[in-house]
Amino acid sequence: MTRFLLKYVYQGLMSGKIQYQKVLNKVQLSAATAPDGPILVIAGAGSGKTRTLVYRVAWLVERGVPPKEILLLTFTRKAAKEMLERAAKLSDRRCKDVSGGTFHSLAQHVLREEAQRVGLSPSFIIMDRSDMEEVTHALVPEVDGEKRSIRLPRSSTISTILSKTANMEKSLAEIMETEYPQFLPVLSQIEHLLKIYKEYKRKNSLMDYDDLILIFRHLLKEDEEIRLQLSNRYKYIMVDEYQDTNTIQADIIRYLGSLHQNVMVVGDDSQCIYSFRGANFRNMFDFPVHFPGTRIIKLEENYRSTQSILTMTNALMDQAKEKYTKCLFTRRVGNEVPLVMDAGTERDQAFYVCRAIETLLDEGRQLRDIAVLFRAGYHSFELELELARRNIPFAKYGGFKFMESAHIKDLLAHLRVIINKEDILSWGRLLRLLKNIGPGRSKTIIDWMKKDHVLPGRINEWPGISKEKEGLTKLAKLMGALSTPKVMPEKGVELAVAYYSPFLKERFDDFPRRQQELEQLISMASRYKNLRAFLDDLSLEPPTSPVDIRPLDKTDYLTLSTVHSAKGLEWGVVFIIWLVDGRFPPGKSFVNIDSLEEELRLLYVAATRAKDKLIIVYPGQELVRNSGGFRDNYHRGLSSFISALPHNVIEHQSFISSYPSAIAPLAINPYRAAMHERAGVSHYNAILGSKSFTKSMDPLTVDSSALRQGDRVNHPAFGTGVIARFLGDDKIEVIFKDRGIKLLHLGYTSLEKI
């Protein structure tokens, strides 16, 4: 199909005009060549909205509209530039002269010209985010300096709060109540800071990004001469991603189009997922109100996904209370129904996703064509560890890599020194958390401990102790508790989290989120029998940069991404994990209908990233703590968004019941074989996972000669299961009824034949 389109475009160029009817479908054509007047284009996922805008620009220029009278607004200057360059290549080089850019760049341009009208100097300075943080930091001492029980937020957090207040046009109290309740005790100080921040900008001719569009809107609203002048300058206005505009930007469009009404906005209300930045998807519904006589055009033909995926996503959005009803369809071949897989536990969820990815590789897929999406960055922690065990290269977008997060490193340092009291890196890290202990003093303490062979629980006996006494005493108490013989990993992590929490609140403004991530460590530790095994498995951390984790083909790696970071992208196969109420959607979203509706749209965005296969995975047996206060404190089960779908649009399976059909030895994919050989692991260990956390059990003797494939067995931790197969003389794969598939080392496990 692409070859034919290129042929027609080429023919159009040779004749001097584009043959629009041959390169656009009927609905795209009606949008690109629409007559004057307001137009709302509702562009479903993968329906070619960018293509439509590009041809709209070309068509207007071909009609004789001067390029300077056309305004194309996007959310990045790069996007605008690329669209105009495409239009220039398709039709007329003059398309590059179209006025294109962002709302902020347009505002800056106009305010430079008309600065005196709003009491500004034409040479005003625009502060970027780092400048804003520097100014707020410098102004903090001017706020009431009386010591409080809760500290002021860091300058980066204060800047975020102030920006949200401006963008969302809400009071400081409203923003802090909903998003930063931990800092409500210092609300009055931040209100004072906001006041002196505004005065500082005025005195020094400074403007931040939010000021640009706020003052621009004020100018358009209050100055009729400028409003009419700009509306006459830009006789045709187009706006991309209109669902992501805030109320301020929608007002700007209304004023700019007031004279001629030639405004085309393109967007998809079902893909509005940035309300936390101030985006207001209701702008899509209000547009026909502000521009009476609006022509509504729906782009519903999808060029990305199979019909089975689209049928599921259509049904998903049927649940939305507010929406423009649209029914996506495609001419693509493929009828594989989206799969909903109950993986049992979080550990099994990671195991299942990795096994499924390896099977896809054996079938000829490339890693670059596969993505795993999730609601929050910490949802992928267990998966990251399993991928590292199997040497599957990946890059993560959105959130931090598990083992790279500062709070995770801090917490684990307290556990590592129990296993190895000579670990000077971990000692340095945890000592520097204490007041009055810097790099020099921490080195002195570490040297003393090494020289005198001091046990961790006696660190408070350091001879040079003075101001550090309180901190070292508390640390010694923790070290003593962690050093208790046979302390279980779960208990050890609980003790460390309780000790570290005050430091977490002091060091990080987003400590509620980080606290939740630390609690995830407790859940992970519960599956281990000793601390060393737990830390050993965690030490199989992924490399620290995307370059390092591409061992062969530099472009071939698995994508892990939050859904927000994945918007606008696509992959052949998409996994969505943790589809459980309390995680996706998160518990806090059940507080009000608007939040829940946005979570539904977020899932829609995730599902529409898939071209060929969509696999939804959830740990149905995992107990999830709901932080939002809805229903009970804990909840277990499939996301209500998925359970509400008609049964004929998805296929439900269980990891345990579906797995036996796939336990036959897998064919070795040449790419993976080479990749794993480079990493120094055998083919089967690479496929099945070279380590099992059951090695944490005390060495036991199991008579492998008494066991056969298909035997029913009992394990003290995992319960009853069936032997799937043997791997050499010392490893065995067992499918457990309640815990999924486990790879056990016969020398370090206990199995009883039933």
Side-chain angles (χ1 to χ4, degrees):
M1 180 178 177
T2 303
R3 185 182 300 171
F4 289 118
L5 288 177
L6 290 174
K7 175 183 175 183
Y8 286 126
V9 170
Y10 178 77
Q11 291 175 346
L13 288 172
M14 291 302 98
S15 63
K17 288 188 177 181
I18 299 173
Q19 299 182 43
Y20 294 91
Q21 70 280 6
K22 293 183 178 179
V23 294
L24 299 173
N25 66 38
K26 289 183 179 180
V27 184
Q28 290 172 339
L29 179 65
S30 67
T33 62
D36 291 0
I39 304 164
L40 171 61
V41 179
I42 302 167
S47 62
K49 71 173 181 63
T50 301
R51 181 184 184 80
T52 303
L53 278 171
V54 167
Y55 279 95
R56 174 69 173 177
V57 170
W59 186 77
L60 288 173
V61 173
E62 275 191 3
R63 274 184 60 203
V65 177
K68 293 294 186 183
E69 293 182 1
I70 303 172
L71 175 64
L72 173 63
L73 291 174
T74 64
F75 276 83
T76 66
R77 282 180 291 180
K78 181 181 177 182
K81 181 181 178 182
E82 288 177 351
M83 285 189 197
L84 297 180
E85 285 179 348
R86 283 178 60 183
K89 289 178 181 177
L90 286 170
S91 174
D92 191 314
R93 294 177 63 181
R94 291 180 303 150
C95 289
K96 294 182 70 172
D97 297 328
V98 166
S99 301
T102 66
F103 282 91
H104 292 84
S105 63
L106 174 65
Q108 182 268 151
H109 177 70
V110 173
L111 292 177
R112 291 277 185 214
E113 291 180 340
E114 309 295 341
Q116 294 180 349
R117 291 179 182 262
V118 287
L120 292 172
S121 165
S123 59
F124 64 80
I125 297 171
I126 301 172
M127 298 188 296
D128 62 18
R129 183 53 183 260
S130 62
D131 295 329
M132 185 180 181
E133 291 177 10
E134 189 175 329
V135 169
T136 53
H137 178 73
L139 294 175
V140 165
E142 295 187 31
V143 179
D144 183 6
E146 182 184 349
K147 290 186 177 180
R148 303 285 175 176
S149 58
I150 299 178
R151 63 173 176 81
L152 280 172
R154 297 177 186 275
S155 57
S156 59
T157 303
I158 291 175
S159 298
T160 298
I161 294 172
L162 300 186
S163 183
K164 282 178 178 282
T165 300
N167 263 299
M168 302 175 78
E169 298 190 282
K170 291 183 178 180
S171 69
L172 206 58
E174 285 181 283
I175 296 295
M176 293 184 65
E177 282 174 10
T178 56
E179 300 189 44
Y180 300 90
Q182 65 268 34
F183 292 119
L184 280 173
V186 292
L187 172 61
S188 60
Q189 287 94 328
I190 298 178
E191 287 177 331
H192 183 200
L193 183 60
L194 175 59
K195 181 179 179 181
I196 61 177
Y197 172 66
K198 289 180 177 178
E199 181 61 18
Y200 181 89
K201 289 188 294 181
R202 187 189 66 79
K203 286 182 178 179
N204 294 281
S205 294
L206 298 172
M207 293 180 67
D208 57 37
Y209 287 145
D210 304 314
D211 293 329
L212 287 173
I213 59 172
L214 280 167
I215 297 175
F216 184 35
R217 180 183 64 175
H218 175 77
L219 174 64
L220 291 171
K221 179 182 178 181
E222 301 298 329
D223 195 318
E224 183 180 12
E225 181 183 354
I226 289 296
R227 182 169 66 248
L228 295 177
Q229 179 183 317
L230 290 175
S231 188
N232 189 57
R233 179 188 300 177
Y234 302 117
K235 292 186 171 64
Y236 292 87
I237 301 169
M238 286 172 281
V239 187
D240 191 19
E241 302 286 10
Y242 192 67
Q243 78 280 351
D244 293 333
T245 55
N246 59 28
T247 304
I248 304 165
Q249 292 161 330
D251 287 345
I252 289 172
I253 293 302
R254 184 156 51 93
Y255 293 132
L256 289 176
S258 59
L259 187 64
H260 48 70
Q261 306 281 297
N262 293 328
V263 179
M264 172 185 281
V265 297
V266 181
D268 183 3
D269 55 292
S270 297
Q271 295 189 69
C272 181
I273 57 174
Y274 296 116
S275 66
F276 62 91
R277 296 180 186 170
N280 185 357
F281 83 109
R282 290 192 176 86
N283 286 344
M284 295 284 290
F285 302 100
D286 292 340
F287 185 82
V289 177
H290 295 148
F291 291 91
T294 292
R295 181 181 178 186
I296 299 177
I297 300 173
K298 296 181 182 180
L299 301 182
E300 296 176 298
E301 182 171 357
N302 179 283
Y303 293 93
R304 176 186 300 151
S305 307
T306 63
Q307 188 59 55
S308 296
I309 294 173
L310 297 179
T311 300
M312 179 266 187
T313 56
N314 287 337
L316 191 67
M317 286 312 299
D318 282 343
Q319 300 175 39
K321 306 299 180 186
E322 280 189 273
K323 62 180 180 295
Y324 277 112
T325 301
K326 54 185 173 296
C327 186
L328 296 183
F329 69 94
T330 187
R331 302 179 196 186
R332 282 199 60 205
V333 177
N335 57 1
E336 189 171 334
V337 176
L339 178 63
V340 177
M341 179 65 71
D342 181 354
T345 67
E346 180 181 15
R347 175 71 182 86
D348 294 331
Q349 175 177 249
F351 194 98
Y352 167 76
V353 171
C354 288
R355 282 298 299 266
I357 288 170
E358 289 173 332
T359 301
L360 288 166
L361 293 177
D362 293 328
E363 293 172 352
R365 287 273 180 186
Q366 293 181 305
L367 282 173
R368 70 173 74 99
D369 200 30
I370 306 172
V372 182
L373 307 182
F374 32 83
R375 175 63 180 83
Y378 75 94
H379 290 175
S380 68
F381 285 176
E382 185 83 49
L383 177 60
E384 290 175 48
L385 295 174
E386 186 64 25
L387 289 166
R389 290 187 188 103
R390 295 164 180 265
N391 290 286
I392 298 176
F394 68 90
K396 183 176 179 181
Y397 302 94
F400 293 100
K401 286 191 178 71
F402 180 39
M403 295 297 292
E404 292 176 16
S405 303
H407 57 300
I408 299 292
K409 285 180 174 288
D410 287 346
L411 193 285
L412 293 179
H414 294 82
L415 304 175
R416 294 191 192 283
V417 297
I418 298 300
I419 301 302
N420 178 14
K421 64 185 182 69
E422 304 292 329
D423 185 348
I424 60 173
L425 291 177
S426 292
W427 273 118
R429 191 176 190 98
L430 63 89
L431 283 171
R432 288 193 297 272
L433 291 172
L434 304 179
K435 289 183 179 179
N436 303 308
I437 296 182
R441 193 155 297 183
S442 68
K443 184 179 184 301
T444 301
I445 296 172
I446 293 168
D447 290 344
W448 164 73
M449 292 183 71
K450 290 178 67 178
K451 179 183 177 182
D452 294 355
H453 305 288
V454 179
L455 295 174
R458 292 175 47 212
I459 193 170
N460 60 323
E461 297 176 13
W462 176 49
I465 195 168
S466 56
K467 294 180 180 180
E468 311 86 358
K469 183 175 181 179
E470 182 181 356
L472 288 177
T473 299
K474 290 180 179 179
L475 177 60
K477 184 178 180 181
L478 172 68
M479 293 292 107
L482 292 175
S483 300
T484 302
K486 296 183 179 180
V487 64
M488 296 295 288
E490 182 177 14
K491 181 63 177 177
V493 177
E494 284 180 354
L495 291 169
V497 169
Y499 167 83
Y500 180 67
S501 288
F503 297 105
L504 188 76
K505 293 178 181 179
E506 182 180 333
R507 296 189 70 199
F508 306 105
D509 287 345
D510 59 345
F511 62 84
R513 174 184 67 80
R514 294 179 188 256
Q515 182 78 31
Q516 194 173 20
E517 294 176 358
L518 290 178
E519 290 171 359
Q520 184 78 4
L521 274 178
I522 300 175
S523 172
M524 294 166 68
S526 68
R527 293 188 289 275
Y528 291 79
K529 297 301 181 184
N530 68 57
L531 196 55
R532 182 182 294 278
F534 172 61
L535 294 175
D536 281 350
D537 271 5
L538 288 182
S539 69
L540 291 169
E541 57 184 282
T544 56
S545 73
V547 174
D548 293 333
I549 57 179
R550 307 174 192 176
L552 292 179
D553 183 347
K554 290 186 177 181
T555 63
D556 199 21
Y557 58 93
L558 175 72
T559 296
L560 304 184
S561 178
T562 60
V563 182
H564 285 99
S565 296
K567 188 173 182 290
L569 303 176
E570 61 182 41
W571 294 270
V573 181
V574 169
F575 294 83
I576 310 175
I577 61 173
W578 268 115
L579 262 293
V580 176
D581 282 345
R583 290 289 178 89
F584 198 167
K588 63 182 180 181
S589 65
F590 286 81
V591 174
N592 65 71
I593 187 64
D594 286 344
S595 296
L596 202 56
E597 290 268 296
E598 177 140 341
E599 294 300 321
L600 180 66
R601 297 194 295 270
L602 193 62
L603 180 54
Y604 172 83
V605 168
T608 53
R609 300 310 94 198
K611 296 192 289 186
D612 307 317
K613 291 176 181 283
L614 175 62
I615 304 170
I616 292 168
V617 191
Y618 71 105
Q621 296 174 19
E622 204 72 44
L623 205 59
V624 177
R625 187 173 187 272
N626 297 312
S627 58
F630 80 102
R631 301 181 185 174
D632 304 318
N633 287 331
Y634 292 87
H635 184 67
R636 171 188 282 137
L638 179 61
S639 166
S640 51
F641 293 151
I642 302 299
S643 57
L645 290 172
H647 291 296
N648 63 330
V649 304
I650 51 177
E651 179 184 347
H652 287 273
Q653 287 188 19
S654 165
F655 182 30
I656 298 171
S657 64
S658 67
Y659 184 73
S661 63
I663 63 175
L666 297 172
I668 302 298
N669 179 286
Y671 159 74
R672 271 197 300 123
M675 180 174 72
H676 296 309
E677 282 177 356
R678 175 177 286 196
V681 296
S682 71
H683 294 168
Y684 271 113
N685 281 350
I687 295 173
L688 298 173
S690 58
K691 286 183 178 284
S692 168
F693 55 76
T694 55
K695 66 181 175 63
S696 62
M697 307 175 75
D698 295 330
L700 297 165
T701 301
V702 175
D703 184 5
S704 60
S705 64
L707 300 175
R708 297 286 185 272
Q709 186 172 352
D711 282 351
R712 294 180 66 237
V713 293
N714 186 67
H715 187 278
F718 305 140
T720 59
V722 177
I723 295 175
R725 58 174 166 168
F726 290 82
L727 301 171
D729 296 328
D730 59 352
K731 291 178 183 173
I732 187 172
E733 194 174 62
V734 182
I735 306 171
F736 290 99
K737 180 180 179 182
D738 297 323
R739 300 302 298 273
I741 297 85
K742 305 297 177 189
L743 180 64
L744 307 180
H745 194 296
L746 293 174
Y748 291 83
T749 191
S750 176
L751 284 178
E752 177 187 359
K753 184 176 178 180
I754 301 175

